[in-house]
Amino acid sequence: MMTHDTTAMILAAGLGTRLKALTHNKPKALVELNGKPLLQHCIENLIANGFHHIVINVHHFGEQIIDFVEHQRFDAEIQISDERDLLMDTGGGIVKATPLFKNSKAVLVHNVDIISNVDLYELSQQFLDSKDDAWLLTQDRETNRKLLFDTENQLVGWMNKADGSFKWVYDSFGEFQEMAFSGLHFFRSDLFADFECKPQSVIDLYLKLAKTNRIISKPIQPDYWFDLGKPEQLQTAECFLKSKSK
């Protein structure tokens, strides 16, 4: 395998239940946006941003994703992290794929259902030059689930406004700022190497890592960013991108 400064991991193993009928016979990754599968949008965007080693985790209809990748001619080295036997959740999926990152300095994780024009190339170079262990790309937008950071942008907790629950790096924390997670994050390639390979949330792992590592909020303000988890969100993005291309 070639050596790359950066690897991108696409999280494509989810069940896609919020997309309802669209994922009855295919994975969320192959649901189309303006005639092109979400996975293809994601891969092409990553390549355009300088990522030429890509890892994709699969579970739900995983064989369809594997077949799709094998029959495309993408200008990248693409590897599959196979979770068809057991869905590992966001954190467990990264832990399972960690051996595939060994020839890279840093990893970008990208949810397959996120479409944006974030400058991932510039951010990857900035992250490589930084002394931080992870950057969680964040936004100031309304959502029930928020990441909590101190005045130096270090991760200190997580909250769910809908039920009032909190998770803290330490027992509790006084002053914090709330930010929404974008579904994009950078980390050093060996950051998750010591965790047990089992189903678990990546947010829970970051809260554990933040006790001894620099897990930092990196605010982003792209021209557009869409989470395509629901049919109505898919329709909104389709309309926006069509109008943008005119």
Side-chain angles (χ1 to χ4, degrees):
M1 192 175 82
M2 294 176 61
T3 298
H4 302 268
D5 278 350
T6 54
T7 289
M9 180 176 183
I10 301 174
L11 297 183
L15 299 177
T17 52
R18 293 185 300 160
L19 286 173
K20 301 174 183 177
L22 294 175
T23 51
H24 280 172
N25 61 359
K26 69 174 68 172
K28 175 169 58 176
L30 296 184
V31 170
E32 292 192 351
L33 172 68
N34 289 341
K36 185 186 296 185
L38 295 180
L39 181 61
Q40 186 173 347
H41 281 281
C42 194
I43 291 172
E44 290 176 351
N45 181 54
L46 289 169
I47 292 171
N49 277 273
F51 292 87
H52 293 281
H53 177 226
I54 298 172
V55 173
I56 305 169
N57 71 337
V58 301
H59 174 76
H60 184 58
F61 293 115
E63 64 283 351
Q64 292 186 26
I65 294 176
I66 294 170
D67 185 64
F68 175 78
V69 171
E70 287 178 348
H71 286 84
Q72 297 294 316
R73 293 181 180 273
F74 293 115
D75 182 23
E77 178 186 2
I78 298 179
Q79 293 181 283
I80 299 295
S81 182
D82 195 340
E83 298 177 24
R84 282 177 290 179
D85 290 340
L86 178 63
L87 182 60
M88 300 294 287
D89 202 349
T90 52
I94 292 169
V95 174
K96 182 179 175 66
T98 290
L100 303 178
F101 308 151
K102 63 183 179 181
N103 292 320
S104 292
K105 297 176 183 176
V107 179
L108 163 69
V109 173
H110 196 304
N111 288 358
V112 75
D113 56 3
I114 298 298
I115 297 288
S116 77
N117 71 334
V118 177
D119 190 339
L120 296 172
Y121 174 78
E122 178 62 27
L123 285 170
S124 69
Q125 300 309 300
Q126 291 177 14
F127 179 70
L128 286 168
D129 290 340
S130 78
K131 295 181 180 179
D132 301 322
D133 298 295
W135 280 1
L136 308 182
L137 305 193
T138 59
Q139 298 164 291
D140 184 11
R141 60 179 171 82
E142 282 304 312
T143 179
N144 283 330
R145 298 177 182 182
K146 291 288 188 75
L147 295 173
L148 311 177
F149 299 91
D150 66 16
T151 55
E152 296 182 350
N153 287 326
Q154 168 74 15
L155 180 67
V156 296
W158 172 94
M159 71 181 297
N160 185 339
K161 289 187 171 184
D163 61 16
S165 61
F166 286 84
K167 295 179 182 179
W168 298 103
V169 171
Y170 300 102
D171 291 340
S172 64
F173 197 84
E175 185 178 348
F176 57 81
Q177 55 180 330
E178 306 170 11
M179 296 294 285
F181 184 41
S182 70
L184 307 166
H185 48 116
F186 288 92
F187 59 86
R188 303 297 167 183
S189 57
D190 60 350
L191 186 63
F192 294 89
D194 293 335
F195 285 109
E196 181 182 355
C197 189
K198 64 179 183 180
Q200 51 196 324
S201 160
V202 73
I203 297 302
D204 289 344
L205 295 185
Y206 273 131
L207 292 171
K208 293 176 182 177
L209 287 165
K211 292 180 184 294
T212 54
N213 295 271
R214 288 180 55 80
I215 312 299
I216 302 299
S217 168
K218 185 69 174 179
I220 55 171
Q221 293 182 309
D223 295 330
Y224 64 89
W225 176 95
F226 293 101
D227 173 358
L228 306 178
K230 297 179 181 179
E232 57 269 26
Q233 294 166 329
L234 199 63
Q235 292 172 359
T236 299
E238 285 182 340
C239 293
F240 174 85
L241 294 174
K242 283 178 179 176
S243 66
K244 190 173 179 295
S245 63
K246 289 181 180 179

